[in-house]
Amino acid sequence: MRRTILTLASLAALAAATFPAAQAYPANDRYCLQGRIWGYPGNCQFASYQQCLATASGTSAYCGINPRYAFSQQRYY
């Protein structure tokens, strides 16, 4: 009986480790810092528009939506 329980627990742990969990954190690349020195699509490491604007403050850069998200196909479940 112990061996059966141990085997089932081992298989459950292996299955849990094999299948990755869904991402629990927001995407950090929704907005891109764009401008002359950044090119296209730019520096895409900002999770919020406010973060991007704070970085662009005082420079000739501006913020835009990451093209990867802007032009992605919508998924309907």
Side-chain angles (χ1 to χ4, degrees):
M1 183 71 168
R2 263 189 196 171
R3 187 174 281 177
T4 304
I5 292 173
L6 184 60
T7 303
L8 290 175
S10 298
L11 288 175
L14 181 65
T18 303
F19 300 110
Q23 290 182 351
Y25 53 90
N28 288 333
D29 57 350
R30 291 276 181 188
Y31 297 95
C32 299
L33 182 64
Q34 299 170 338
R36 189 173 204 180
I37 63 169
W38 295 105
Y40 185 80
N43 181 4
C44 300
Q45 65 178 11
F46 303 100
S48 70
Y49 189 68
Q50 288 76 21
Q51 288 175 340
C52 185
L53 284 177
T55 305
S57 176
T59 66
S60 61
Y62 58 95
C63 297
I65 298 174
N66 188 341
R68 182 173 145 200
Y69 293 105
F71 299 112
S72 66
Q73 292 183 354
Q74 297 293 319
R75 292 184 183 155
Y76 298 102
Y77 295 100

